[in-house]
Amino acid sequence: MKATETVKSALTWKIKKEKVFLKRVEKAKKQGKPMPVFKPVRCPHSESVCIRYDQRSYWIKWDTMTCRLATMNGRVELPFTVPAHLQQYLGHRICSADLCFRKGRYTLHIVVSIPKPVVTPSQEVIGVDLGLNRLAVTSQRHFLAEKRWKEQERRLFRLKRKLQAKGTRSAKRHLKKLSQKQFRQRRDQDHVLAKRIVEHATPGSTIVLENLTNIRERTTQRKSAQQRRLHSWSFARLYLFVEYKAQARGIAVVRRDPWHTSQTCSKCGYQHRSNRRSQSLFLCRQCGYQLNADLNAAYNIRDKYLACLALSGRSRESGPTCHVRRAIVSVLRG
């Protein structure tokens, strides 16, 4: 199952990369530049892939905190422990599970099904503007980010650049550790950011996010630092974190096209490129309305969703229509 998922992901990425390469070739022909070199997608491989269990190949007893797993040598029963911050999910109906092995320790990632919360739909709609400088700005005038995150990224980049220039064995070992550290650091930042976005919304409300799909193909960044930040931006994972955290509180999450939201005045509706005077300053050329540029974009994202509802005549959704699935991690002992 894990192998088929990996191959499917690689083939999807291969098709996407081939389409982008054809566009690059056409662009190079029009501009009279040399043809770009095509780099094929490499075959995925893993030395210790996680094992996927379904409801027929394992079971969990919450009262005794034991699990029974199917192995090559028959079924094995083991006790396990659950971290304190995941104790709230004990006792729910189990779904699938992944058995992982890392640094000499086995962990079982259990997916449980939680009934959707019963909440009353509210009229509150919150627009969220996502960006690289300010990671998230809501229409409630909340700037959700920490300054130390940028400094952590810069420090890791400088350290990786020094190690790559050195090129020794110890430097390569250190680079491998840094890549794992950077992955965990960015994932933690996405968790914190998603949690803060959901905390500022009341149950039954709607969160409107930007649809940033294919933003890397649409945006042309000239500076290398901006390109590096853009290609390392994990907005898809942030979407996933916001959606499942919002489902647990009965909050609906929708996406809208962010086209011209940073150039349009949220007060009079006038749209022009020069309205955004700088990264943080928005000043309307027509009515003189002035405020933070990211906050203005958050207002426009919210208003765009409200306008779509008014045109279609539909009501706001109150939240998820199915059970919420949440993953918990248990540490196996023995």
Side-chain angles (χ1 to χ4, degrees), residues 71-305:
T71 66
M72 297 290 291
N73 299 322
R75 293 185 176 266
V76 178
E77 186 172 350
L78 293 171
F80 64 88
T81 59
V82 178
H85 66 282
L86 297 174
Q87 296 283 341
Q88 55 181 323
Y89 303 108
L90 299 182
H92 291 286
R93 184 173 65 87
I94 62 172
C95 301
S96 61
D98 286 346
L99 180 64
C100 305
F101 179 76
R102 182 174 178 269
K103 292 185 178 181
R105 188 175 69 169
Y106 285 97
T107 55
L108 188 65
H109 296 239
I110 308 169
V111 179
V112 297
S113 178
I114 305 174
K116 69 171 185 178
V118 180
V119 296
T120 303
S122 67
Q123 300 298 317
E124 183 182 19
V125 177
I126 302 173
V128 181
D129 176 71
L130 304 178
L132 294 174
N133 189 28
R134 289 185 174 89
L135 298 182
V137 180
T138 69
S139 57
Q140 296 177 323
R141 308 182 70 88
H142 292 130
F143 293 78
L144 308 176
E146 292 190 14
K147 295 182 178 180
R148 62 181 179 90
W149 290 350
K150 290 185 181 179
E151 181 56 35
Q152 289 175 354
E153 289 284 338
R154 288 193 290 263
R155 182 175 59 84
L156 284 177
F157 172 73
R158 292 193 296 264
L159 182 57
K160 289 173 66 176
R161 184 171 55 185
K162 290 181 181 179
L163 293 173
Q164 288 171 352
K166 196 171 184 179
T168 60
R169 281 188 175 182
S170 61
K172 292 179 180 179
R173 288 196 298 267
H174 197 178
L175 279 171
K176 187 176 181 180
K177 293 180 180 179
L178 281 181
S179 65
Q180 298 173 355
K181 179 179 180 180
Q182 190 176 40
F183 173 78
R184 295 192 300 270
Q185 179 177 292
R186 289 176 177 173
R187 184 177 59 184
D188 178 71
Q189 293 174 3
D190 290 339
H191 270 297
V192 173
L193 191 61
K195 182 179 179 181
R196 292 179 180 177
I197 292 174
V198 174
E199 282 179 345
H200 287 91
T202 58
S205 60
T206 303
I207 296 176
V208 187
L209 299 175
E210 296 178 275
N211 187 7
L212 299 177
T213 306
N214 300 325
I215 188 176
R216 296 184 178 93
E217 288 77 13
R218 299 196 307 262
T219 307
T220 56
Q221 298 286 349
R222 298 184 179 273
K223 295 183 179 180
S224 59
Q226 293 177 347
Q227 291 180 353
R228 185 183 70 251
R229 294 177 61 190
L230 179 64
H231 286 274
S232 63
W233 191 11
S234 56
F235 57 86
R237 184 172 58 193
L238 179 62
Y239 285 157
L240 179 64
F241 289 169
V242 172
E243 286 175 354
Y244 89 78
K245 292 178 188 294
Q247 283 180 354
R249 297 189 60 196
I251 301 172
V253 179
V254 296
R255 305 184 196 179
R256 283 295 176 269
D257 185 11
W259 192 252
H260 294 319
T261 53
S262 62
Q263 303 174 4
T264 305
C265 179
S266 59
K267 186 176 182 180
C268 67
Y270 178 72
Q271 184 263 323
H272 198 274
R273 292 187 62 182
S274 61
N275 279 348
R276 187 163 186 169
R277 303 302 176 89
S278 64
Q279 194 282 326
S280 59
L281 176 62
F282 181 90
L283 180 60
C284 182
R285 293 168 55 114
Q286 181 168 313
C287 67
Y289 185 57
Q290 178 179 344
L291 77 165
N292 183 272
D294 296 324
L295 181 60
N296 177 77
Y299 288 155
N300 288 328
I301 293 170
R302 178 199 60 189
D303 296 341
K304 181 177 287 190
Y305 174 71

